[in-house]
Amino acid sequence: MQGQILIVSGPSGSGKSTLLNRLLKEERDLCFSISSTTRAIRDGEKEGVDYYFISEDEFKKGIENGEFLEWAQVHKNFYGTSLKPVLAALNDGKIVIFDIDVQGFHIALEKFKSYITSIFITTTNKKELKKRLQNRGTDNAETIENRLMNAVGEMEHILEYDYFLINDDIEKSYRGLKSVVHAMRLKSANINLRQTVDSWIDC
């Protein structure tokens, strides 16, 4: 069975992390790709669980050495996905989940298009997104405005994704995300044709 990649994109504050955390707890065979970042660790976050927190010099050295599948600079900080664990998980036939932005999605498509299923998750509207960011209490007013401007730009790319999900109800949204993963497992493109046919004939 060929491994696959599920790319999840959407504005910060859209609820991606909440949905993915639940999915990973219930679907044990999935592999979450942990990104590296140069931003400061937030309260409640853990090294090697939420991100790998590294210095800007270390990150730039990784770029020079071709160690990232994709990387982007967002709000003056760098974010990127290490290539080595992704390749290992794909070779093991696993579904690897990426939580990355639109820029990272485009880079990943160039390298792994045949492996990728994608979904864009957002809020009902910009006003709701702003409310969630403010309630989160982790960003100042300037950062929130930057996030909102980025969100507007990201919305222009929703037609490039396979699925589009408005997260206005957490239970409904979770069922939608889960159904995408189940559909990925049924893709005929992931089947080893010769092995499957031979097994079917012999039984």
Side-chain angles (χ1 to χ4, degrees):
M1 187 73 77
Q2 175 183 288
Q4 298 183 73
I5 294 171
L6 173 62
I7 289 183
V8 181
S9 298
S12 178
S14 60
K16 302 187 305 294
S17 295
T18 300
L19 292 169
L20 288 176
N21 286 339
R22 181 174 171 184
L23 182 70
L24 290 162
K25 286 179 182 177
E26 295 186 8
E27 305 286 328
R28 298 288 184 173
D29 61 329
L30 303 178
C31 176
F32 184 70
S33 175
I34 301 172
S35 298
S36 298
T37 182
T38 59
R39 76 158 171 78
I41 189 169
R42 294 172 180 160
D43 289 342
E45 290 183 330
K46 294 181 179 179
E47 166 70 21
V49 175
D50 299 285
Y51 286 99
Y52 295 116
F53 297 94
I54 63 176
S55 69
E56 187 170 320
D57 286 343
E58 189 178 351
F59 198 104
K60 288 180 177 178
K61 189 176 293 183
I63 295 173
E64 292 175 5
N65 294 335
E67 295 173 3
F68 292 110
L69 168 64
E70 57 79 30
W71 64 271
Q73 187 172 12
V74 184
H75 310 304
K76 300 179 181 179
N77 294 307
F78 287 91
Y79 295 81
T81 304
S82 180
L83 190 58
K84 189 174 180 180
V86 171
L87 293 174
L90 291 176
N91 287 335
D92 288 340
K94 294 181 179 180
I95 294 177
V96 186
I97 298 178
F98 293 172
D99 178 0
I100 55 177
D101 64 10
V102 171
Q103 183 180 343
F105 168 55
H106 289 155
I107 296 171
L109 273 181
E110 292 176 5
K111 300 178 181 179
F112 288 103
K113 186 174 183 179
S114 64
Y115 292 84
I116 291 173
T117 298
S118 57
I119 181 169
F120 191 98
I121 300 175
T122 189
T123 52
T124 307
N125 51 47
K126 182 182 174 184
K127 184 178 179 181
E128 173 62 22
L129 181 62
K130 183 174 183 178
K131 179 181 175 182
R132 292 188 189 182
L133 289 171
Q134 290 172 332
N135 290 342
R136 194 163 68 175
T138 58
D139 300 315
N140 59 36
E142 182 182 358
T143 301
I144 288 175
E145 288 306 313
N146 285 337
R147 291 192 187 282
L148 291 172
M149 284 192 293
N150 282 351
V152 171
E154 287 185 325
M155 288 291 291
E156 296 291 335
H157 296 274
I158 59 177
L159 293 182
E160 299 169 16
Y161 286 74
D162 298 312
Y163 298 95
F164 177 61
L165 180 62
I166 295 177
N167 184 18
D168 56 351
D169 179 291
I170 196 70
E171 290 300 324
K172 183 177 72 174
S173 297
Y174 180 68
R175 289 195 298 271
L177 177 60
K178 197 171 182 177
S179 68
V180 170
V181 173
H182 288 182
M184 290 175 70
R185 292 194 179 109
L186 299 175
K187 275 188 175 180
S188 59
N190 303 311
I191 295 172
N192 182 317
L193 179 61
R194 189 72 269 142
Q195 185 181 52
T196 302
V197 171
D198 290 346
S199 175
W200 187 84
I201 293 171
D202 293 338
C203 289

